[in-house]
Amino acid sequence: MNSLFYRKSIIAITGLFLCVFLIVHLSANCILLLPEGIARDLYNSYSTTLRESTFIKIIAYALYVSIIFHAFYALLITIRNSKAKPQKYVVNNSNANSSWASQNMGLLGIAILLFIIVHLANFWARIKLGMGEEVSLDPMGNKDVYEVTYTLFHNIYFVLFYSLLAIPLALHLHHGLQSAFKTLGFYNKTGLKILAKVSLIYAVIMGVGFGIIPLVMYFK
């Protein structure tokens, strides 16, 4: 198997898995949009179920591996492409043939990787590993993950960070979803037109969804 095709296939498969994960993750986070009296108990109960479920733990490990593989092989391809074009041409009509996002997937990926690192430090490291300030318990005896989220999103800097980085996420998803199916051999002309629309709708929902939650929490 061609090494480039192998690398692109890994990126495509892990990318599609991450796309499915984002749907589930955003759906769960929509609980945060509910009134606090309802959202706190429901979100904390949901978070406890995730931490105690063996099946979810397996999915979580698959998620971590997917993120690492996706970023690693994307980096390899970016480096390869950079070396393949050491000289810049005087006339460059790449914009006429591809979108800005497709030309800057590496840059968008770095922004998203930064987001993931900060997100893991704020939630996973504190709640799962017990690092940093201890997480209190709610009246039901569950870790008060809602309070952790509420406190974080009452810091305007984190609100802006999370909301603004939803933009590169949406751009990355819009191009990446289409690219993944093409890499895996999906080239039906009609299907690609439908895929382009689905990718746009998906990217907008993910971008707006993840971008608006911190703002809603901030004004609660």
Side-chain angles (χ1 to χ4, degrees), residues 134-203:
E134 183 179 358
V135 179
S136 61
L137 301 180
D138 67 8
M140 302 296 292
N142 297 314
K143 284 190 176 183
D144 202 343
V145 181
Y146 182 90
E147 184 62 30
V148 174
T149 309
Y150 183 86
T151 301
L152 183 73
F153 289 150
H154 271 69
N155 181 322
I156 189 60
Y157 297 108
F158 278 117
V159 171
L160 292 175
F161 176 81
Y162 274 79
S163 294
L164 290 177
L165 281 183
I167 297 173
L169 173 64
L171 292 172
H172 192 84
L173 292 173
H174 180 218
H175 174 73
L177 189 58
Q178 298 177 75
S179 180
F181 277 96
K182 289 179 182 178
T183 296
L184 297 176
F186 185 77
Y187 276 100
N188 179 274
K189 189 174 181 179
T190 303
L192 287 176
K193 290 181 180 179
I194 296 174
L195 178 61
K197 294 179 180 179
V198 171
S199 298
L200 178 60
I201 294 171
Y202 173 78

Side-chain angles (χ1 to χ4, degrees), residues 18 33 42 51 58 61 63 72 79 82 90 93 98 119 123 125 131 138 154 158 166 168 178 183 190 201 205 208 218:
L18 293 172
L33 300 175
L42 191 58
R51 290 194 303 275
I58 294 173
Y61 288 128
L63 175 65
F72 176 72
I79 294 174
S82 179
V90 175
N93 293 320
S98 58
H119 188 62
F123 291 94
M131 298 174 64
D138 67 8
H154 271 69
F158 278 117
Q178 298 177 75
T183 296
T190 303
I201 294 171
I205 291 175
V208 172
Y218 182 76

Side-chain angles (χ1 to χ4, degrees), residues 41-105:
D41 290 343
L42 191 58
Y43 195 69
N44 289 343
S45 177
Y46 163 77
S47 299
T48 298
T49 300
L50 289 186
R51 290 194 303 275
E52 295 179 350
S53 170
T54 301
F55 174 73
I56 296 301
K57 288 179 181 178
I58 294 173
I59 296 297
Y61 288 128
L63 175 65
Y64 304 147
V65 171
S66 293
I67 292 173
I68 293 171
F69 273 53
H70 192 81
F72 176 72
Y73 282 107
L75 177 61
L76 289 182
I77 289 180
T78 299
I79 294 174
R80 175 188 179 280
N81 291 342
S82 179
K83 289 182 177 180
K85 297 180 180 179
Q87 296 181 339
K88 292 186 177 180
Y89 297 99
V90 175
V91 179
N92 188 344
N93 293 320
S94 60
N95 289 332
N97 302 316
S98 58
S99 66
W100 182 89
S102 67
Q103 297 174 51
N104 295 275
M105 286 295 278

Side-chain angles (χ1 to χ4, degrees), residues 6-50:
Y6 169 79
R7 292 172 182 177
K8 286 187 173 182
S9 295
I10 293 295
I11 294 173
I13 293 170
T14 54
L16 290 174
F17 175 71
L18 293 172
C19 283
V20 174
F21 164 76
L22 286 177
I23 294 174
V24 177
H25 192 49
L26 178 59
S27 299
N29 281 356
C30 284
I31 295 173
L32 297 169
L33 300 175
L34 298 173
E36 183 178 348
I38 300 173
R40 184 181 296 272
D41 290 343
L42 191 58
Y43 195 69
N44 289 343
S45 177
Y46 163 77
S47 299
T48 298
T49 300
L50 289 186

